Each structure stands twice: as structure tokens, then as C-alpha cells.
Amino acid sequence: MTEKIGEILKHFNISGKPEPLGNGHINETYLVRDGGSYVVQKINKNVFRDPVAVMENVRAVTKHLRSKIVGAGGDPDRETLNFLDTTDGLPYYRTEYGEYYRAYVYIDRVKSYDVAESPELLYQAARAFGRFQNMLADFPAETLHEVIPSFHDTRKRFSDFKRSVEKNASGRAGDVKDEIGFVLDREGDCGIIVDALRSGDIPVRVTHNDTKLNNVLFDENTDEGVCVIDLDTVMPGSLLYDFGDALRFAGSSGAEDEKDLSKIWFDLTNFDYFTKGFLEATPSITEKEKELLPFSVKLMTLECGMRFLADYIDGDVYFKTAYPEHNLVRARTQIKLVEDIENKLDEMKKIVNK
Ligand code: ADP
Ligand code: GN1
Ligand code: MG
């Protein structure tokens, strides 16, 4: 059971007709134009088991970002999210059915992209994500809740994947043997970043952890990266998660759910522009992190591919899908990208060292 969205708005003291917004895979997102414009989101409770903890993280992070933006002479109403309290003074509204909603100010005159339309856009995205990480460099990591435990622990993702295949809840595993084999052949890669974090070879940082291109808003006129959004997964992590995951998505020649695999490859020009923007914005990057940049793109793409494939085999219980094969189509683009990245790792290393 859910409450009508119109009822929800009252608790944030806003009114208007909600329209669906964006192409996120997790939350239900609406744009509401009132006197001002607002984004209202229903938090996905299947993904975020503790929405109160999510909101504590997000509020603390945006407060920190706000003070950094003000300190740098920026515009805090545009460069970070600004959440509304409910009429009860809470950062979320809980319905009688136990669903959680939140609202924040819609940032106007921006664009959001689901595919990289130009290398310059990637340069801008990289600067925005790099800046974001930099602004959180002195955020007290220990105060953040781990809202999705082991989110980018690829070794754990691999064992979850194997469990999904064994369980075969949807009965689909038999139809995707080649894809399953592709993932299983790469078990050896899965521990490399988590082990480097555990041994202290690379530092733990506060990271975004979901650096999809459509989680940056770009200025409508200048295409500059204005604001990093979708802050639910901000947690302690590795710089490599943000770098790799961003290029998994934006380094691709096509959409994440492109059905024609002949249109999917890993674009080295995109990689070049993103790497340039990211390195410029993250002066504290260590030599070891730099060395692992190309590999991180492969690993984060493999991780996402195994998550899509596992969800297909589980029966589409995690990611939003628009049609029955959607998760499989997504898994196949990721697999195609991993194959291509494997062939391009040497060129990617040269670009990083340039
Ligand atoms: P999800 O977790 O489902 O990905 P997001 O918070 O990323 O949810 O929101 C989904 C999409 O809504 C974004 O990718 C973006 O396109 C759009 N969006 C969200 N907030 C804003 C905003 N303040 N201004 C403009 N577009 C937004
Ligand atoms: C989800 O929420 P969204 O659409 O920005 C997912 C990411 C995946 C991505 C794949 C909390 O991101 O981890 O990489 O889909 N977010 C969560 O497109 O699981
Ligand atoms: Mg998103």
C-alpha cells in the first residue's frame, strides 16, 4: 500500500502536480512545480533498509559540502542539494505504511545526460566528481552509517553472484551460461581493490560510490558540471570506485542498455578527457591509486555486469526494469565493455602517465 503522492507533498508544505523525473534505477523521483520547483523522492526500502540512516548521512554530507562551497565563494543553492524539513521538522516523511519520502530544491537550468555526448562533457563530469571527493576529504568518515554494507566489495559481490546462480530463483540461469562463465572466469580480479584498501596500500576516503553520468547536473548553457546528486551511497570507500564507476558508464560509446552490441565499445578519447579532469581535481591521489586507475574501470564494469546478471537470475528484484530482458541487456553491455577494456589496458596506462 502507498499513500497518494499529493498527500505526501502537504507534509513538506508544497503543492503542485508531480511529474516523473530522470532515469535513476533505484528511487522513485518526481519533479513538483509549485511557486518554486522541488524534487520529491520515495526512498527505495528494498535497497536502503534503513532510510533514517540514509537521511542522516545525506544531511550531514550536504551540510559539510555547503560550508565548503560557501568558503570557496560558490553558490550553495546550486552546487549541492538542499533538503526540506517536513512540517514536523523531520528530514523525511514516513507514511503510515512505512514508506519514506524526502524533498529537495530542484536545481533549475541544468541538464542531465544518460550517455556521454562529447569528451568535453566527460572532462566536466570528472572535475565535478573530483571536486566532490576533495570537498569531503576532511569529512569525519567514522560518523557515516554504512547504509549498504560492502557496497563495492567486489569479492563479496562475486560470492553473492555465485549464490544467485546456484539458487536460480527465476529459472533463467540455464539461458545465460556464456555470460555466467564470463564472470566466473574473472574471480581473480575481484579482490584486488578491497585487498589494497585492507592492507593500507591505498587510502580509505569518503567517496560518492555511484558516479553515473546522470548523477551530475550540468549547466544548461555552459555544460559545466554544477552539482553532484544522488548522495545516498556516500560512504567510506576508494577513489578508484568513483573513477572506475564513472568511466564504466561515461566511457562507453553507447547507453547502458543498448541492445545492439556492435554499438558498444570503450572509448579511449572519453577515458582521456575524464582522466585529465579527474587528476586535475584530485591533487592528493597517491602513486598506487594512479597505477590502479585503468584496472578500476575494468573491475567496476565487471562488478556492475555481475550485479545486473545476478538481478536477472534473481528475477529482477533490485534494479528498476522497463521490460523482462532489461537486466540481461544491461549485463551484456557491461560484459562487452570489460572485454574491450581488457584489450585497451595498456593504452589506458599510457594515457594516465601522459
Ligand atoms: P536514483 O537513486 O534513482 O538514481 P537520483 O537521485 O539519481 O535517483 O535521481 C534520478 C534522476 O533525477 C537523476 O539522474 C536526474 O536526472 C534527476 N534529478 C534528480 N535531482 C535533480 C535536480 N535537483 N535537478 C534536476 N534533475 C534532477
Ligand atoms: C544504480 O541509482 P542509480 O541509478 O544512480 C545503483 C548503482 C549502479 C547503477 C547502474 C544504490 O544507480 O550502484 O551502478 O544503478 N545504485 C545503487 O546503472 O545500487
Ligand atoms: Mg541516480
Side-chain angles (χ1 to χ4, degrees):
M1 285 291 283
T2 50
E3 236 169 271
K4 284 221 167 63
I5 183 88
E7 286 300 307
I8 309 291
L9 301 186
K10 285 187 199 157
H11 298 278
F12 293 99
N13 223 346
I14 53 183
S15 57
K17 189 173 163 288
E19 303 156 30
L21 175 68
N23 291 313
H25 294 345
I26 303 295
N27 298 308
E28 264 176 45
T29 308
Y30 303 92
L31 168 62
V32 182
R33 295 213 185 258
D34 193 2
S37 305
Y38 302 93
V39 178
V40 176
Q41 279 183 317
K42 179 175 164 190
I43 302 177
N44 183 329
K45 253 182 57 179
N46 182 39
V47 169
F48 298 105
R49 299 295 160 117
D50 186 352
V52 176
V54 169
M55 288 316 293
E56 274 175 25
N57 278 3
V58 167
R59 283 296 187 103
V61 164
T62 49
K63 187 173 169 214
H64 184 92
L65 292 171
R66 199 177 169 87
S67 77
K68 291 276 162 172
I69 293 163
V70 170
D75 178 354
D77 294 332
R78 210 166 149 69
E79 293 170 32
T80 189
L81 296 181
N82 291 281
F83 285 88
L84 272 58
D85 281 339
T86 63
T87 47
D88 292 333
L90 290 171
Y92 52 80
Y93 172 67
R94 182 180 186 276
T95 72
E96 61 177 302
Y97 308 110
E99 303 289 358
Y100 287 79
Y101 287 80
R102 61 179 170 209
Y104 54 89
V105 178
Y106 177 75
I107 300 169
D108 247 321
R109 291 168 286 114
V110 290
K111 279 196 282 192
S112 143
Y113 293 89
D114 288 306
V115 76
E117 288 181 7
S118 73
E120 287 76 23
L121 199 69
L122 285 227
Y123 175 74
Q124 290 299 337
R127 286 174 63 91
F129 283 129
R131 241 182 358 243
F132 180 87
Q133 217 174 74
N134 247 340
M135 289 194 285
L136 291 175
D138 59 347
F139 183 92
E142 66 289 352
T143 63
L144 285 171
H145 305 284
E146 201 181 355
V147 288
I148 304 181
S150 311
F151 189 57
H152 282 309
D153 181 336
T154 315
R155 194 185 274 129
K156 165 139 190 319
R157 293 285 185 187
F158 185 85
S159 58
D160 291 349
F161 173 78
K162 280 205 303 199
R163 200 166 335 109
S164 292
V165 173
E166 276 154 29
K167 199 169 163 208
N168 194 11
S170 66
R172 288 162 158 175
D175 308 332
V176 290
K177 289 204 180 94
D178 288 352
E179 290 82 358
I180 293 171
F182 184 92
V183 173
L184 295 180
D185 283 348
R186 284 158 182 78
E187 178 172 13
D189 289 327
C190 296
I192 292 180
I193 294 181
V194 273
D195 287 345
L197 276 172
R198 278 187 199 130
S199 67
D201 275 358
I202 56 172
V204 175
R205 300 173 188 267
V206 175
T207 46
H208 183 280
N209 297 311
D210 187 3
T211 48
K212 260 162 91 162
L213 187 63
N214 64 14
N215 289 332
V216 186
L217 303 176
F218 296 88
D219 187 284
E220 191 174 76
N221 300 315
T222 65
D223 260 345
E224 246 176 279
V226 175
C227 182
V228 172
I229 63 168
D230 203 347
L231 309 174
D232 299 331
T233 51
V234 174
M235 283 182 282
S238 165
L239 167 148
L240 298 168
Y241 298 157
D242 283 1
F243 182 85
D245 194 34
L247 280 156
R248 163 192 87 74
F249 190 89
S252 173
S253 59
E256 186 178 69
D257 58 357
E258 171 59 59
K259 289 182 185 151
D260 179 355
L261 289 179
S262 72
K263 293 186 184 152
I264 296 295
W265 64 88
F266 186 72
D267 188 302
L268 286 174
T269 309
N270 283 352
F271 179 76
D272 191 349
Y273 276 68
F274 189 93
T275 303
K276 183 172 187 300
F278 195 79
L279 288 178
E280 278 174 16
T282 52
S284 70
I285 190 168
T286 66
E287 275 310 308
K288 186 68 189 174
E289 285 173 321
K290 222 189 247 180
E291 184 191 314
L292 284 169
L293 289 176
F295 173 77
S296 75
V297 184
K298 172 184 163 183
L299 188 66
M300 298 310 292
T301 310
L302 178 67
E303 182 188 283
C304 196
M306 69 175 99
R307 290 176 63 196
F308 286 144
L309 191 55
D311 198 32
Y312 181 69
I313 296 168
D314 293 343
D316 306 321
V317 294
Y318 186 94
F319 297 105
K320 278 197 227 160
T321 50
Y323 54 92
E325 309 288 299
H326 208 163
N327 271 317
L328 177 59
V329 167
R330 291 169 178 154
R332 285 183 173 148
T333 59
Q334 304 308 293
I335 288 174
K336 176 84 192 280
L337 286 167
V338 170
E339 277 179 326
D340 198 32
I341 295 166
E342 284 175 346
N343 291 325
K344 290 174 174 166
L345 280 172
D346 285 338
E347 283 168 88
M348 289 160 73
K349 281 181 198 151
K350 281 186 201 142
I351 291 171
V352 170
N353 293 326
K354 210 169 53 179

